[in-house]
Amino acid sequence: MKPYRAYLFDLDGTVYRGNKPIPEAVMALREMTERGAHIAFLTNNSSMTPEQVATKLRAMGVPADPEQVVTSSLVTAAALREEMPGASVYAIGEEGLLAALRSAGCRFDDERPDVVVVGIDRRLTYEKLAKAALAIQRGARFYATNPDRALPSEQGLLPGNGALLAALVTTTGVQPRVFGKPEPAFVHYALKRLGVPPQEALMVGDNGQTDIPAGARAGTDTLLVLTGVTRPEDVQALPVAPTYVAANVKEWWER
Amino acid sequence: MKPYRAYLFDLDGTVYRGNKPIPEAVMALREMTERGAHIAFLTNNSSMTPEQVATKLRAMGVPADPEQVVTSSLVTAAALREEMPGASVYAIGEEGLLAALRSAGCRFDDERPDVVVVGIDRRLTYEKLAKAALAIQRGARFYATNPDRALPSEQGLLPGNGALLAALVTTTGVQPRVFGKPEPAFVHYALKRLGVPPQEALMVGDNGQTDIPAGARAGTDTLLVLTGVTRPEDVQALPVAPTYVAANVKEWWER
């Protein structure tokens, strides 16, 4: 096993599944932390704040500070702060997105915002979709935290942010600018925070369609773990070949 | 002007725009009715009952009985009654759809329905989308009253049923069976009610993508009126050429 200075970890399917930790990942993360590796957690989930994510990880036995957590909401808000400081936004989303936009200095405006930002919102209503659609037609930019089509749950797949986006694209004919993985900007943002160049970092994730391309396009090595959505028989057909494939994080770590 | 035994009228964009009657259409419809023509109104709008539509038309001066009104909800419910009598359904929709399903003898079941039926619902919530998506994943058939992407309003385009469908297709990967125009079954249903064969009927509508193909595929002649969504410059590029094109219904009627 080649050691890296930094490890960028996807969360759902990699470190935990829903509310259940994946023990091999927890074990490896504890060892990596003890050895002084830089670790960041990168999640497309826009609904939670970094504080909430860190609390969840610590409850599972993973050493984690909020500063190590990068959500698609943070990356979206950071782009807004950089490109359109003080922009007014209409947001569909949960606490993680609203808090990130507030911290980035955005003003909220339902009627004539500069930007419509859409993340998963399990309190979605028709009225929210209508407001977003009308604002986009009035010329607001259309930003999306992440493109995930569905949220896995114990009962089955629930509508993901990609489903909300599809409704708005169908209504308006306008495509959103998307920030989450597989966009490499997400990985660059995390690396910049850690102060580590891409060639010294490993992106670790279970999703061959998002985690692996995001890392590869950002210039990191990549480790695909088979603890989540990618099945062994899918590996050959992935759009980007991972640097490593392993049953789980610990199996790779002990090589 | 060649007279027909039956006229099938689209509503929004043809007879009225939102809540405003189109005077030329109202005038022609009064004359057609006086001369004893068979008239039916065919709307993809699944939200209203035939009684509500007839009341709206009469308030605009158009002679109309509920029996003359065919909605996409009625056609969807009729197909269910014929193909799956007594089926259990989970429905997303407004009063027009719920009433049609009740009249067709459907039972309502949120959890394990035989069929998920989706029509426009301006009280849509995330929970409704989630229930529909889970039922489809458990094997329920996926039916849609109509594919309209957007609802025109004074403020702009609001999400139409096609937007709701896009969210569910994105989540589940399953395509719905769609009943509204441009499906010719809609026109056949109306003609059967009137007891008139297609070659003696004229389908009248403003939408070259839905009304005209629905009539043409059902075997009627077609009149495209330019009082709604189709602009004069769009006529050449339509998927199906209308039999007639006119500025409005009266202009054609007086030829």
Side-chain angles (χ1 to χ4, degrees), chain B residues 190-242:
Chain B
L191 288 170
K192 205 172 155 191
R193 272 198 173 190
L194 295 176
V196 172
Q199 53 280 12
E200 297 182 45
L202 183 70
M203 174 74 213
V204 184
D206 70 304
N207 192 325
Q209 307 289 339
T210 57
D211 299 320
I212 304 307
R217 289 161 66 189
T220 73
D221 280 354
T222 55
L223 165 59
L224 177 74
V225 289
L226 301 175
T227 46
V229 296
T230 306
R231 297 167 305 175
E233 62 266 34
D234 300 333
V235 174
Q236 283 302 321
L238 291 179
V240 178

Side-chain angles (χ1 to χ4, degrees), chain A residues 120-122 124-126 129-130 133-134 137 149-151 155-159 162-163 166-167 170-171, chain B residues 120-122 124-126 129-130 133-134 137 149-151 155-159 162-163 166-167 170-171:
Chain A
I120 187 66
D121 182 356
R122 283 159 290 189
L124 182 77
T125 59
Y126 183 84
L129 287 174
L134 291 173
Q137 290 168 72
R149 291 163 173 263
L151 300 179
Q155 303 151 282
L157 297 173
L158 299 175
T170 299
T171 307
Chain B
I120 186 66
D121 181 357
R122 282 159 291 188
L124 183 76
T125 60
Y126 183 84
L129 287 174
L134 291 173
Q137 290 169 73
R149 290 164 174 263
L151 300 179
Q155 303 150 283
L157 297 174
L158 300 174
T170 299
T171 307

Side-chain angles (χ1 to χ4, degrees), chain A residues 36-251:
Chain A
H38 294 275
I39 292 173
F41 302 100
L42 275 69
T43 176
N44 265 9
N45 185 332
S46 67
S47 70
M48 291 165 83
T49 62
E51 290 74 16
Q52 290 168 330
V53 173
T55 302
K56 178 173 177 173
L57 285 168
R58 283 198 302 268
M60 292 176 174
V62 177
D65 281 331
E67 290 68 36
Q68 291 175 275
V69 179
V70 184
T71 69
S72 60
S73 288
L74 279 196
V75 178
T76 306
L80 271 169
R81 179 166 42 194
E82 195 175 310
E83 300 170 13
M84 304 177 71
S88 64
V89 299
Y90 175 64
I92 293 180
E94 299 188 10
E95 184 51 25
L97 179 58
L98 304 180
L101 293 171
R102 269 193 298 269
S103 298
C106 293
R107 290 174 299 115
F108 291 92
D109 179 347
D110 281 23
E111 293 290 326
R112 299 208 166 259
D114 300 318
V115 187
V116 168
V117 185
V118 179
I120 187 66
D121 182 356
R122 283 159 290 189
R123 286 154 310 174
L124 182 77
T125 59
Y126 183 84
E127 198 190 349
K128 290 183 183 182
L129 287 174
K131 277 187 183 173
L134 291 173
I136 292 164
Q137 290 168 72
R138 290 189 198 113
R141 298 192 195 183
F142 179 15
Y143 283 13
T145 56
N146 64 301
D148 303 51
R149 291 163 173 263
L151 300 179
S153 82
E154 280 165 29
Q155 303 151 282
L157 297 173
L158 299 175
N161 196 39
L164 279 53
L165 301 177
L168 290 171
V169 170
T170 299
T171 307
T172 63
V174 178
Q175 293 288 337
R177 175 175 169 195
V178 180
F179 288 88
K181 293 173 277 182
E183 295 304 317
F186 199 176
V187 176
H188 286 136
Y189 180 90
L191 289 170
K192 205 171 155 191
R193 272 198 175 189
L194 294 176
V196 173
Q199 52 279 13
E200 297 182 45
L202 182 70
M203 173 75 212
V204 184
D206 70 303
N207 192 325
Q209 306 290 338
T210 57
D211 299 320
I212 303 308
R217 289 161 66 191
T220 73
D221 280 354
T222 56
L223 164 59
L224 177 74
V225 289
L226 301 174
T227 45
V229 297
T230 306
R231 297 166 306 177
E233 62 266 35
D234 300 333
V235 174
Q236 283 303 319
L238 290 180
V240 178
T243 316
Y244 316 101
V245 180
N248 55 59
V249 184
K250 182 163 170 274
E251 191 258 291

